[in-house]
Amino acid sequence: MPSNNAPVLHYIFDPLCGWCYAAAPLLAAARALPGLEIQWHAGGMLSGPARRTITPDWRAHVMPHDERIAKLTGQPFGDAYYNGLLNQVGATLDSTPPIAAMLAAEAMDGRGLDFLARAQAAHYVEGRQIATLAVLQALAHELGLDTLSFTTHYEIALAGDTARHIEESREWLQASGGQGFPTFVFEFTDGASGRRVAQRIDMGPWLGNPTGWQEHLRQGLAAAEDAAQG
């Protein structure tokens, strides 16, 4: 539940979703906005039966999307990703390990979204396999998290918390009417009824324009404050 009945921006995403990487500057802009609480929901796009391995067909499938994202948003894609990772046939693409790592970072120091940003850069720029524990441990260390404690929290998350989180995130996506990842939902209190209201926000017009997105959210916060006062 939000603290002090504050407005909340819910972010429904997956760490291996290219369009979520496209939305990363929007998320960063939202996190920098005073008075707005962020709650994240990782949906496990490539978890369980949906887990994949890299193949030439997969590379051919994702590259046009990645190139469009780069052109639309300016998000960087490294040669180590295009010509390194995407050519590592047989490498695992599994959303569950990075989600568990985010939960570990959140439990340790409230840094789940910091871990997401670092993991996305590791994947899309540095071409690192973020489904492997060694890479996740290295990223945690780079963020200043104690590796031993991180590993303990990670293993706890893998034992059950991650599956529950993914299930709840998918419920959020369905309830919001979102069509996929990423989806943003703005939640606030209606003063007249005292009820929490959740509204899905179309991020499409703001891709590549985090400043405009931040102003859009700022206006939403002002409207939510008015609504809270009835």
Side-chain angles (χ1 to χ4, degrees):
M1 293 296 294
S3 59
N4 300 319
N5 227 19
V8 174
L9 184 67
H10 295 272
Y11 182 47
I12 310 168
F13 68 98
D14 188 85
L16 287 171
C17 161
W19 286 102
C20 299
Y21 181 54
L26 304 186
L27 177 62
R31 294 182 70 192
L33 194 57
L36 181 62
E37 183 175 333
I38 311 292
Q39 291 186 8
W40 54 270
H41 312 271
M45 181 182 73
L46 296 180
S47 291
R51 184 176 55 222
R52 290 180 174 269
T53 57
I54 292 175
T55 64
D57 286 345
W58 178 260
R59 184 177 191 272
H61 170 71
V62 300
M63 282 195 64
H65 295 282
D66 295 339
E67 290 166 354
R68 184 181 173 202
I69 289 166
K71 183 177 181 180
L72 183 64
T73 68
Q75 282 286 77
F77 290 81
D79 184 69
Y81 168 73
Y82 277 141
N83 297 309
L85 180 61
L86 289 184
N87 282 324
Q88 294 179 27
V89 174
T92 299
L93 295 169
D94 186 351
S95 300
T96 298
I99 293 173
M102 289 184 64
L103 290 169
E106 187 72 24
M108 291 176 68
D109 198 24
R111 301 192 65 190
L113 289 178
D114 291 340
F115 198 98
L116 172 65
R118 186 65 194 92
Q120 287 174 321
H123 179 76
Y124 289 107
V125 180
E126 301 158 16
R128 298 162 75 178
Q129 294 188 36
I130 63 170
T132 62
L133 178 56
V135 170
L136 296 172
Q137 288 171 324
L139 299 180
H141 178 74
E142 291 169 22
L143 289 174
L145 300 175
D146 177 77
T147 304
L148 181 59
S149 180
F150 168 80
T151 303
T152 299
H153 281 85
Y154 172 82
E155 291 172 348
I156 292 171
L158 274 183
D161 291 348
T162 306
R164 285 191 295 271
H165 178 89
I166 288 172
E167 182 180 0
E168 291 169 358
S169 297
R170 291 176 178 177
E171 290 171 357
W172 258 101
L173 181 63
Q174 183 176 9
S176 73
Q179 299 302 305
F181 309 119
T183 293
F184 286 97
V185 178
F186 184 61
E187 181 188 0
F188 60 94
T189 299
D190 175 67
S193 66
R195 295 178 179 176
R196 296 292 285 181
V197 178
Q199 298 177 343
R200 184 161 43 88
I201 305 176
D202 180 11
M203 71 165 195
W206 310 107
L207 284 172
N209 182 14
T211 301
W213 166 256
Q214 190 179 65
E215 180 57 31
H216 182 63
L217 293 178
R218 185 177 286 111
Q219 292 173 8
L221 281 172
E225 184 177 352
D226 290 343
Q229 294 173 357

